[in-house]
Amino acid sequence: MEQLQTALSALKVLRSSVGQVFYSLANGIRADHGEENKENKYLLELQELLTTVGTNLRDVEQAVNSLNPPPGPFNLGNTAYLAQETTQDRQALYGTLVNVYKWTDKAHEYSNVAHQILSQNSLKRSSMSSNRAKRSRVQAGAHNSPPQQVDQVMASFDRLYSDMSITITRPYTSNAVIHVTLGHVLKAIIAFKGLMMERVVIKGYNEELDLWTESRYKVFQRVTDHAHAAMLHFYNPNFPELTLKSFFAWFHSFISLFNDPCKRCGLYLHSALPPTWRDPKSLGPYHFECKP
């Protein structure tokens, strides 16, 4: 497995170096080549890039040659019987199962990492017990809340905010994925496990929602970063519903993202960005550079 990982890493480096070659060819002679001997500088740059590609290609060949062929066919379990299907609808089922496995595996990976970070949260609150064992038990109970409780809590938040729509989907597993639409400003997709938020991705209203791909706009990338920080700030294992209520109140304040000026500098834009940071207590808008 380690040899296979080395080969895949070498292949990734090779693809990156080849991409640099095509990037240089697409842009041609640039301003940073200067005015004197710019053609020679450009050719020298291409030569260096191609030399790097050749070196990376040799690394890939060496890594592939060091791999040991499998002793026999891979055991696909009961999925091997799918190849015996004759109907067109069922022949594509194996590809769907592979996608389900990849999605579930990635969701579990993010959930485990998020839970470890939240468990190590050093924020001090009077409501949190100092007993480590007791705190662990409370976290586990809140982390594995039944789907019916999650649906009820989300439905109450949906009724609470008339200009914010909250819907729940469970695409592959019992873990919930929350779609939040905030007016015509932005959308958010939140991965839940029980009543614990695991991952937040915020995008513009017209962008396609995807749990794993960040927004292509810098402003929504900033808001996503602030949302992850807010998850840690409001996190309270003893009162998960209060955590969610505080977080959604904080998120609802972004409905005026492009309308309100910064509370400190009074400007609408700073570094070409609106105030993307919200005070956790007052919910006032601030530029990240101006936050108190």
Side-chain angles (χ1 to χ4, degrees):
M1 184 61 67
E2 183 177 353
Q3 294 176 342
L4 179 60
Q5 185 64 34
T6 302
L8 292 175
S9 299
L11 181 61
K12 184 178 180 179
V13 173
L14 175 61
R15 293 183 60 183
S16 177
S17 60
V18 172
Q20 289 292 331
V21 173
F22 283 105
Y23 178 81
S24 181
L25 289 173
N27 289 304
I29 299 176
R30 303 183 301 275
D32 55 358
H33 290 127
E35 294 297 334
E36 297 182 1
N37 299 325
K38 55 184 179 181
E39 293 84 1
N40 294 334
K41 293 180 181 178
Y42 177 64
L43 292 176
L44 181 61
E45 177 185 303
L46 285 179
Q47 184 178 0
E48 293 177 352
L49 292 175
L50 291 174
T51 301
T52 303
V53 170
T55 302
N56 295 336
L57 180 59
R58 287 193 297 270
D59 293 341
V60 171
E61 291 176 348
Q62 294 175 0
V64 171
N65 292 332
S66 64
L67 293 176
N68 296 322
F74 292 103
N75 182 16
L76 300 178
N78 294 332
T79 59
Y81 295 107
L82 294 175
Q84 302 177 6
E85 291 287 350
T86 58
T87 59
Q88 188 67 26
D89 293 339
R90 295 184 178 180
Q91 286 179 354
L93 185 58
Y94 181 76
T96 304
L97 290 176
V98 172
N99 292 332
V100 170
Y101 173 79
K102 291 181 179 179
W103 194 96
T104 306
D105 185 64
K106 190 176 293 187
H108 285 169
E109 178 183 356
Y110 274 102
S111 299
N112 292 331
V113 172
H115 184 254
Q116 292 175 7
I117 294 175
L118 293 174
S119 300
Q120 299 171 0
N121 184 17
S122 61
L123 296 177
K124 302 299 182 181
R125 293 182 175 84
S126 59
S127 59
M128 296 179 63
S129 172
S130 59
N131 188 321
R132 183 179 300 273
K134 181 179 180 180
R135 182 173 57 191
S136 301
R137 289 197 300 270
V138 174
Q139 286 179 335
H143 200 64
N144 297 315
S145 301
Q148 295 80 5
Q149 183 180 1
V150 177
D151 294 345
Q152 292 175 1
V153 172
M154 291 300 112
S156 64
F157 291 149
D158 188 37
R159 293 190 298 267
L160 183 62
Y161 300 102
S162 60
D163 50 2
M164 186 168 69
S165 173
I166 301 175
T167 57
I168 303 177
T169 60
R170 292 179 173 83
Y172 297 126
T173 62
S174 59
N175 295 341
V177 176
I178 311 299
H179 298 258
V180 184
T181 303
L182 187 55
H184 294 282
V185 181
L186 49 83
K187 294 182 178 181
I189 182 169
I190 308 173
F192 270 73
K193 189 173 183 180
L195 284 178
M196 292 298 178
M197 294 174 288
E198 302 290 346
R199 178 173 170 80
V200 181
V201 175
I202 296 174
K203 297 192 177 184
Y205 187 80
N206 294 323
E207 288 187 275
E208 182 179 356
L209 282 179
D210 181 1
L211 183 60
W212 315 115
T213 305
E214 65 179 7
S215 173
R216 63 180 181 270
Y217 299 113
K218 188 69 175 178
V219 58
F220 299 117
Q221 295 175 15
R222 282 285 187 90
V223 177
T224 299
D225 293 338
H226 299 332
H228 286 126
M231 287 170 53
L232 291 174
H233 177 81
F234 295 119
Y235 174 70
N236 191 326
N238 293 344
F239 303 99
E241 294 187 15
L242 179 61
T243 297
L244 293 179
K245 183 177 181 180
S246 301
F247 177 82
F248 279 106
W250 174 88
F251 180 75
H252 182 262
S253 65
F254 284 94
I255 196 167
S256 58
L257 175 63
F258 298 103
N259 298 330
D260 291 341
C262 175
K263 289 289 187 180
R264 169 159 294 186
C265 68
L267 299 177
Y268 287 91
L269 295 177
H270 180 79
S271 300
L273 291 176
T276 58
W277 191 84
R278 295 294 184 270
D279 186 276
K281 294 182 179 180
S282 66
L283 304 180
Y286 294 86
H287 297 112
F288 184 73
E289 297 79 4
C290 301
K291 65 185 182 69

